[in-house]
């Protein structure tokens, strides 16, 4: 019998509204994608991250296997330039 070991990784996805849909960034890996809807953008970023981690040594991904104890805080900042 053959067993395949699956590893579960936890990453962040940051979505931004664009003119024709949504862009999405995985800041931990620097991977980005887009989609016409949030659902499509999420599907696309999942695929992009999966392709990315296929080429990364598993040792480099070890820090992303633990459950996140505290979720990252994402805030929108309004900045003026005088």
């Amino acid at each position: 019998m053959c067993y395949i070991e699956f590893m579960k990784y936890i990453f962040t996805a940051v979505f931004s509204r664009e003119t024709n849909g949504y862009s999405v960034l995985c800041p931990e890996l620097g991977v980005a994608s887009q989609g016409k809807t949030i659902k499509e953008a999420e599907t696309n970023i999942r695929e992009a991250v999966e392709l990315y981690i296929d080429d990364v040594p598993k040792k480099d991904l070890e820090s992303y296997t633990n459950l996140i104890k505290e979720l990252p805080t994402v805030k929108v900042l309004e900045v003026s330039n005088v």
Side-chain angles (χ1 to χ4, degrees):
M1 187 175 282
C2 179
Y3 292 98
I4 298 174
E5 182 179 331
F6 289 96
M7 191 62 70
K8 180 179 179 181
Y9 300 106
I10 300 172
F11 299 106
T12 306
V14 180
F15 296 82
S16 299
R17 182 80 169 110
E18 303 287 339
T19 304
N20 294 319
Y22 294 86
S23 64
V24 58
L25 171 69
C26 174
E28 294 91 348
L29 303 177
V31 175
S33 193
Q34 60 185 8
K36 290 186 179 188
T37 65
I38 287 182
K39 178 114 173 115
E40 182 180 335
E42 181 178 350
T43 299
N44 293 342
I45 194 66
R46 282 181 186 277
E47 181 180 355
V49 167
E50 287 169 356
L51 290 170
Y52 181 89
I53 65 174
D54 280 346
D55 291 335
V56 175
K58 300 305 177 210
K59 180 181 163 226
D60 293 349
L61 296 170
E62 288 176 358
S63 63
Y64 301 108
T65 59
N66 298 331
L67 292 177
I68 297 175
K69 295 177 182 162
E70 184 177 323
L71 294 175
T73 301
V74 178
K75 295 188 133 222
V76 175
L77 300 177
E78 185 176 326
V79 180
S80 299
N81 185 0
V82 189

